[in-house]
Amino acid sequence: MILMSVQAFPPRSGGIQTLMDGFARAAARIEEVVVYADGDRRAVAYDRDADAPYMVRRFSGLKQWRRRNKASAIKRFCEDNSVSRLVCDSWKSAEFLAADMDVPVLIYAHGNEFPKDPNSSKTARIMRSLEKADHIIAVSSQTALRVEAYLPHKGGPELHVRPNPVSEPEPITEADKTFADNLWPAEGTRLLALCRLVDWKGIDTAITALRQLTLKDIKAQMVIAGTGPDLDRLKEIVESANLSGGVTFAGRVEGGRKSALFDSADIYMQPGRQVGDQCEGFGITYIEAGLHRLPSISGNAGGAPDAVQHSKTGLVVDGENLEEVVIALQGLIDEPDRASHMGNAAHAQAQTLLWDRQIGDVLALG
């Protein structure tokens, strides 16, 4: 039996949530899976209707109480059941685990949860948490570099670099297809961004690049799907650029609607950058876009270059250089055969990262 301790899990959206749900579903085809997750009554209602192949127990309340309560429940569960491994979505989910549990512990590392300054206020907490791990999976080479600063100098857990696997796209109904088609606001090349809307994703730069193309009479349009703290600012940028007729904000899109939206697009556009300590840990949506044969434009910060192979599955640009983003985007629009070739390569890459092809290697670590 596999036990998971997670803070980031559906129904909340995001890359880590997608990764952990994919792990649970793939692992459940091999072993029984039990998930101990954060969540309130709405999450409990979601679990009841989700028809997932794993069992979920939710923990709510104040953060410190919740984490300690969950850790105590994990210890009791491991004492009463035959648990083959404990999988944590981050070091935070391992912080209050008992040090004397006789169960292999695997911790995922994504990047932004590890301050670049190893002398930060969180350093001691992170190091104590990682000491409880047998294996750490860093989702990109850049993430691994951030993790290394917090590892014991001798002994300790093994560090592995594994790109984020993805699940097969959800089936598309006719209603899903109609929904996606109706989102596109104008004519021209269809650019899609689908992510949590935070400043370091570079969606503001994507909008400005679109504006530059329209000034050259190049027809292009954009759908921005997702929610987040940057939403209002992005809407203001669209309005100020007089792009309201060429950009649609779709909100959160999941399931078959998400698949249909990817299918309806031409280019995936997320030219991220680093803002303070924050940047892309890997970029699972670039791989999801590849499943639908979309080439991507990504930034060169963080782990994104591990997800997008420059000039093969897309273009990796300096997300802080607007001119570079515009040139990359116009190049893909002007050369549709090249864009199609990249989309096919992105599809081939994504096929190798399907959970069914990756879960065996991950579980072999435990």
Side-chain angles (χ1 to χ4, degrees), residues 17 37 54 75 77 79 114 187 193 209 213 242 279 301 306 309 313 330 354 358-359 365:
Q17 288 85 342
Y54 47 78
K75 180 173 175 59
F77 187 91
E79 291 172 344
F114 292 88
E187 294 182 355
L213 294 187
N242 295 317
C279 59
D306 284 18
Q309 300 174 33
T313 67
Q330 184 171 348
L354 287 170
Q358 295 291 323
I359 189 63
L365 300 178

Side-chain angles (χ1 to χ4, degrees), residues 91-321:
W91 68 262
K92 296 176 183 179
S93 290
E95 183 173 11
F96 294 113
L97 293 178
D100 59 349
M101 290 194 310
D102 190 22
V103 175
V105 176
L106 185 155
I107 297 176
Y108 267 90
H110 310 278
N112 289 332
E113 74 273 33
F114 292 88
K116 285 198 170 183
D117 178 6
N119 297 312
S120 75
S121 60
K122 293 182 179 179
T123 297
R125 292 172 56 199
I126 295 173
M127 294 182 73
R128 286 195 299 268
S129 299
L130 297 185
E131 286 174 356
K132 300 171 184 177
D134 296 278
H135 299 276
I136 300 170
I137 293 183
V139 301
S140 70
S141 55
Q142 288 299 309
T143 294
L145 291 176
R146 293 179 78 153
V147 174
E148 285 175 352
Y150 295 89
L151 293 178
H153 294 297
K154 293 182 180 180
E158 294 185 46
L159 178 61
H160 313 267
V161 179
R162 295 283 192 280
N164 283 348
V166 291
S167 300
E168 289 276 11
E170 292 289 328
I172 300 172
T173 66
E174 283 299 319
D176 295 331
K177 186 176 184 302
T178 299
F179 166 82
D181 287 341
N182 288 339
L183 286 176
W184 295 103
E187 294 182 355
T189 302
R190 295 178 170 188
L191 316 177
L192 173 63
L194 194 159
C195 60
R196 185 166 180 262
L197 301 181
V198 291
D199 53 3
W200 46 268
K201 294 287 185 177
I203 308 307
D204 51 356
T205 306
I207 294 169
T208 307
L210 173 62
R211 172 61 174 166
Q212 296 293 314
L213 294 187
T214 62
L215 293 176
K216 299 179 181 180
D217 292 325
I218 298 173
K219 290 186 176 180
Q221 56 186 316
M222 189 172 191
V223 169
I224 300 170
T227 60
D230 210 27
L231 176 59
D232 290 341
R233 186 179 72 93
L234 294 175
K235 287 183 175 180
E236 290 175 0
I237 293 172
V238 168
E239 186 174 351
S240 298
N242 295 317
L243 284 175
S244 298
V247 177
T248 297
F249 289 90
R252 180 175 176 177
V253 179
E254 298 288 349
R257 287 186 169 189
K258 178 179 175 180
S259 300
L261 184 53
F262 272 123
D263 260 8
S264 67
D266 298 311
I267 297 170
Y268 187 74
M269 189 80 178
Q270 191 178 309
R273 59 184 182 267
Q274 182 164 324
V275 176
D277 226 17
Q278 305 291 299
C279 59
E280 196 72 69
F282 175 69
I284 199 168
T285 49
Y286 300 122
I287 307 301
E288 291 180 324
L291 286 173
H292 298 267
R293 300 184 186 276
L294 295 185
S296 291
I297 295 177
S298 82
N300 60 5
D306 284 18
V308 180
Q309 300 174 33
H310 182 60
S311 294
K312 183 176 180 181
T313 67
L315 297 173
V316 180
V317 300
D318 181 352
E320 297 187 23
N321 187 324

